Amino acid sequence: MIRPLAATDSKPELRLGWTPATLVFLANGHGPYTLAYGRDKAEAASRAIGQVAPGLSPAEISKAEHVTAGPEQAAPAAAGAQASSAEDAAASSRYRKAALWAALLAGLGVLGAMVWQLYKQMKTSAE
């Protein structure tokens, strides 16, 4: 229970943090790799160790190569470029999605026209 010393209308905020003892980094391709952190809108992407290293026993995982993080490098210009490229990618994704929906609706229109023509042909041949 939190009791403020002076009366206030604001609600307190509680922030919890946790520093993991082990970080498993899964990457494909040729290194060197850069591990970035701190994106506000990133969704949690935790994976079970069995999914990251399938078929390995805990003993084999403990014998795996251990790496250490190098010094933290500040890259403010790169962060801005990454943010703008993320916005560009999101806009491009929206454009592609709209184009696919338009193609789907056009295909449905063509199929509907074909069905209408067949229906008219069947109706005239039945008469």
Side-chain angles (χ1 to χ4, degrees), residues 61-105:
I61 291 173
S62 67
K63 291 179 184 176
E65 179 183 351
H66 290 278
V67 296
T68 58
E72 184 174 344
Q73 298 175 354
Q82 287 176 353
S84 65
S85 67
E87 291 171 3
D88 292 344
S92 176
S93 174
R94 284 191 297 271
Y95 175 74
R96 283 193 308 266
K97 192 182 292 187
L100 287 173
W101 274 107
L104 175 67
L105 292 176

